[in-house]
Amino acid sequence: MKKLVILGFGGYGKTIEDVVLSAKMFDEIIFLDDKATDSKVKGVCKDFEKFIDENTWFYPAFGNNNLRVEWIYLLNGAKAQVATIIHPSAYVSSNAVVEQGCAVLPNAAINTTAKVRTGCIVNFGAVVDHDVIIEKGVHLCINSVVKAYNRIAPFAKIEAGQVIFNNTFAME
C-alpha cells in the first residue's frame, strides 16, 4: 500500500491532496502540521521519521519556496522517499527533466529540453517552454508562461498570468 505524507495542512497541502486523490497516485494520504488540529493531521512535521518505510513517500507542501527545498534536503538526509507529483493531465515532454519534490499540477506543460529543478511548483495551467531552466524552489503560479531560452533564478515566484518572454533571463 503506497502512502503519502504531506507536510503542511495549509492551502497548498490541501491542493496536493486533491491532485493526488484525483490522479489516484497513492492509497493513503496523511498530513503532518505544526499547528493544524484536523483529524487528517497525524502529528507535527518533526515527527516525519516515524513514518519512513519502503512504501511511504513525503511531499513538503509549503508555499515558502526556501522552506520547501530545505525540507526536501532534510528528508533526503533521513533517507525518506520524496515524491514528485505530476498530474496525468499535465504534459511533460519525454526530453524534459523534472527533479524530485516538484509538483506539476493539472493542465501544466513542460516542453522539450526544459529542466525543472528540485522542489518547484508548476501550478495549474503554467507553461515551461523549450530550452528553459527553472532553478530549485521556483513557483510558477497559475497560468504563468516562461517562454524559450530563459533561466529562472532559484526560489523565484512568477505570478499568475505573468509571461516571461524569450531570452529575458540569461541562460549562462
Side-chain angles (χ1 to χ4, degrees), residues 22-23 27 43 48 78 91 95-96 114 117 127 145 147 154 170:
S22 73
D27 302 307
F48 78 92
Y91 170 74
N95 294 316
R117 303 288 189 211
V127 176
V145 177
K147 294 180 74 177

Side-chain angles (χ1 to χ4, degrees), residues 4-167:
L4 178 65
V5 176
I6 299 174
L7 301 163
F9 191 66
Y12 183 47
K14 293 172 190 171
T15 297
I16 291 298
E17 176 191 35
D18 187 63
V19 167
V20 167
L21 286 172
S22 73
K24 298 179 172 84
M25 298 171 76
F26 291 90
D27 302 307
E28 181 183 1
I29 300 169
I30 66 165
F31 288 88
L32 298 177
D33 190 279
D34 293 346
K35 296 177 185 166
T37 57
D38 189 274
S39 64
K40 293 179 183 180
V41 178
K42 303 302 182 192
V44 295
C45 292
K46 70 177 181 170
D47 292 341
F48 78 92
E49 290 183 280
K50 296 176 187 175
F51 296 90
I52 296 174
D53 66 40
E54 64 187 25
N55 296 315
T56 302
W57 281 257
F58 294 80
Y59 186 82
F62 302 114
N64 178 306
N65 295 341
N66 292 68
L67 183 61
R68 190 172 55 255
V69 172
E70 285 174 22
W71 267 97
I72 290 169
Y73 294 151
L74 180 65
L75 291 163
N76 283 335
K79 305 280 191 261
Q81 299 179 87
V82 177
T84 297
I85 310 294
I86 301 175
H87 191 271
S89 71
Y91 170 74
V92 178
S93 168
S94 61
N95 294 316
V97 173
V98 177
E99 293 183 354
Q100 74 166 342
C102 290
V104 182
L105 300 184
N107 301 315
I110 300 174
N111 207 345
T112 190
T113 66
K115 293 178 178 66
V116 180
R117 303 288 189 211
T118 301
C120 291
I121 302 169
V122 182
N123 217 318
F124 292 84
V127 176
V128 177
D129 202 2
H130 65 87
D131 299 296
V132 166
I133 299 172
I134 306 296
E135 294 291 357
K136 69 182 175 184
V138 169
H139 181 178
L140 301 179
C141 294
I142 296 169
N143 290 324
S144 61
V145 177
V146 180
K147 294 180 74 177
Y149 307 111
N150 277 296
R151 171 177 253 143
I152 304 302
F155 310 111
K157 184 174 185 181
I158 307 301
E159 287 296 342
Q162 186 175 356
V163 177
I164 305 297
F165 292 99
N166 291 6
N167 298 299

